């Protein structure tokens, strides 16, 4: 069988993304073959393309998709041919029509959730889940607590705004334009700060009566790191889970001491979904909050797979909001 797929032969800019024909065979032990209906676009895809996260070449890109299982390999118990399914998974290769892949991180998609929503929600929704439910300050998070969430109008951010509100947390979101700030507020943020027009750390201190926040969730990286540290109260947690502006330079541990015995972590989704059981438990939590209506998945942009280069350009230029899908 043949499938269209997006491949790079060397690290570089969006111009390196090429659509090619690849052969797809039968699934082996622990694998499935899935025919995609929609594909998710994520910042991690641009990191893998650029070489910030280096891979051996050639590389098929894409970490997230939804579709229909065509065949299952030996030992796969939780899926069968004909099942609707969605995933966020290694190895990359989701930018395609059809693929064989490990079954471990693939989950049955509830009938109430569309393929497009499934493709948009898995990587970003599971990321929001592990941040708000598992990546917690030493004192925990209780209803009424303030947290700071950078890039609040992005795919993870808009899900986090809604989920934090459902948990009773007061999320302070940052974004680069007034329109994006309004979007964050519309999705449940308690406050929104345009970090392009002022000192966000000072505004966070003002909002919290000088106390600071218990936790900062930062996918921007280099440009926001110092300010994020300054937003934290004593024993606060900074979780840097992305590098939108570039990787954070080396940090002096003395800074964490002098700023109030702070905690710093660099979590990844793939550590959290390392087992089949963990993946399913997190996905069940995500599916439940989406099916309840407390969290809606905002698919704001759609690009045909043939326009994948433009999709990457727009994502890196901060022209997108919410979730983006590639259509087949």
């Amino acid at each position: 069988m043949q499938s269209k797929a997006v491949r790079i032969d060397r690290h570089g800019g969006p111009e390196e993304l090429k659509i090619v024909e690849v052969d797809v065979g039968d699934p082996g032990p622990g694998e499935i073959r899935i025919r995609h209906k929609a594909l998710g676009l994520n910042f991690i895809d641009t990191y893998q393309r650029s070489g910030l996260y280096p891979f051996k070449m050639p590389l098929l890109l894409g970490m997230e998709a939804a579709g229909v299982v065509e065949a299952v390999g030996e030992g796969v118990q939780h899926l069968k041919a004909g099942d609707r399914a969605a995933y966020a998974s290694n190895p990359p290769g989701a930018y395609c029509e059809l693929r064989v892949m490990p079954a471990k991180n693939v989950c049955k998609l509830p009938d109430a959730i569309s393929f497009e929503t499934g493709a948009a929600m898995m990587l970003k929704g599971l990321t929001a889940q592990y941040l708000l439910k598992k990546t917690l300050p030493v004192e925990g998070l209780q209803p009424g607590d303030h947290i700071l969430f950078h890039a609040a109008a992005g795919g993870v951010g808009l899900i986090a705004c809604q989920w934090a509100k459902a948990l009773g947390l007061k999320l302070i979101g940052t974004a680069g334009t007034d329109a994006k700030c309004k979007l964050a507020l519309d999705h449940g943020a308690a406050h929104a700060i345009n970090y392009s027009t002022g000192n966000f750390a000072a505004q966070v201190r003002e909002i919290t009566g000088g106390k600071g926040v218990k936790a900062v969730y930062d996918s921007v990286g280099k440009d926001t790191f110092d300010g994020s540290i300054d937003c934290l109260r004593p024993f606060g947690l900074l979780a840097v889970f992305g590098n939108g502006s570039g990787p954070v330079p080396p940090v002096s541990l003395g800074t964490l001491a002098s700023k109030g015995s702070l905690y710093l972590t660099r979590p990844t989704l793939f550590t959290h979904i390392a087992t089949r059981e963990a993946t399913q438990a997190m996905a069940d939590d995500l599916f439940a909050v989406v099916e309840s209506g407390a969290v809606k998945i905002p698919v704001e942009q759609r690009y045909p797979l043939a326009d994948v280069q433009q999709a990457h350009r727009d994502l890196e230029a901060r022209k997108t909001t919410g979730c983006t899908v590639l259509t087949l």
Side-chain angles (χ1 to χ4, degrees):
M1 284 171 282
Q2 292 256 292
S3 170
K4 286 187 172 65
V6 175
R7 188 182 74 197
I8 61 171
D9 296 316
R10 61 184 180 183
H11 290 300
E15 69 279 358
E16 298 298 335
L17 299 164
K18 304 292 192 300
I19 295 180
V20 299
E21 293 280 341
V22 297
D23 291 322
V24 181
D26 293 323
E31 295 181 331
I32 64 161
R33 187 173 68 237
I34 183 168
R35 184 167 295 277
H36 291 147
K37 300 294 186 180
L39 319 171
L41 181 75
N42 295 283
F43 248 105
I44 192 172
D45 306 341
T46 70
Y47 303 157
Q48 293 173 353
R49 188 210 72 227
S50 70
L52 180 62
Y53 296 172
F55 278 80
K56 290 182 179 178
M57 296 293 119
L59 176 68
L60 301 178
L61 284 179
M63 305 294 289
E64 174 183 51
V68 177
V69 176
E70 281 195 348
V72 302
E74 182 184 348
V76 177
Q77 302 291 325
H78 66 288
L79 295 166
K80 65 182 187 303
D83 281 346
R84 303 170 77 252
Y87 65 86
S89 178
N90 268 320
Y95 288 4
C96 66
E97 298 170 315
L98 183 70
R99 75 182 292 202
V100 169
M101 63 179 295
K104 180 181 72 172
N105 296 131
V106 184
C107 299
K108 284 185 69 173
L109 185 65
D111 290 340
I113 299 176
S114 72
F115 288 120
E116 194 173 85
T117 298
M121 72 186 277
M122 293 300 287
L123 193 145
K124 293 171 279 288
L126 292 175
T127 298
Q129 197 277 347
Y130 87 71
L131 291 173
L132 295 176
K133 295 292 193 74
K134 296 185 174 187
T135 312
L136 302 175
V138 66
E139 297 177 333
L141 289 175
Q142 288 81 38
D145 283 343
H146 284 98
I147 61 173
L148 177 65
F149 209 101
H150 289 299
V156 177
L158 290 184
I159 295 171
C161 285
Q162 299 172 78
W163 210 332
K165 183 178 181 180
L167 294 171
L169 302 173
K170 295 180 179 178
L171 183 146
I172 304 169
T174 71
T177 68
D178 289 343
K180 288 187 175 183
C181 286
K182 183 179 185 303
L183 197 59
L185 292 169
D186 290 345
H187 283 78
H191 305 273
I193 296 169
N194 184 340
Y195 58 68
S196 68
T197 61
N199 182 329
F200 70 82
Q203 293 179 67
V204 167
R205 289 284 172 181
E206 184 178 347
I207 290 168
T208 60
K211 293 180 179 179
V213 297
K214 276 190 173 182
V216 178
Y217 300 103
D218 188 348
S219 63
V220 177
K222 176 173 64 71
D223 289 353
T224 50
F225 182 81
D226 290 341
S228 293
I229 289 282
D230 288 339
C231 290
L232 288 166
R233 61 193 288 177
F235 309 112
L237 170 71
L238 171 54
V240 179
F241 67 99
N243 314 280
S245 66
V248 174
V251 179
S252 166
L253 291 179
T255 300
L256 303 180
S258 65
K259 297 286 185 176
S261 300
L262 304 180
Y263 291 74
L264 172 63
T265 185
R266 178 57 175 92
T268 73
L269 171 62
F270 297 104
T271 311
H272 286 85
I273 59 172
T275 67
R276 166 81 210 125
E277 293 75 20
T279 302
Q280 192 63 58
M282 291 172 64
D284 287 345
D285 194 20
L286 173 62
F287 293 153
V289 78
V290 170
E291 289 184 286
S292 76
V295 171
K296 295 178 173 59
I297 306 300
V299 179
E300 303 289 352
Q301 295 82 211
R302 295 164 180 84
Y303 298 82
L305 185 61
D307 293 341
V308 64
Q309 290 187 2
Q310 190 60 48
H312 271 234
R313 290 189 190 100
D314 290 350
L315 183 64
E316 291 180 299
R318 304 294 197 277
K319 291 182 178 178
T320 65
T321 58
C323 300
T324 302
V325 296
L326 301 172
T327 59
L328 296 166

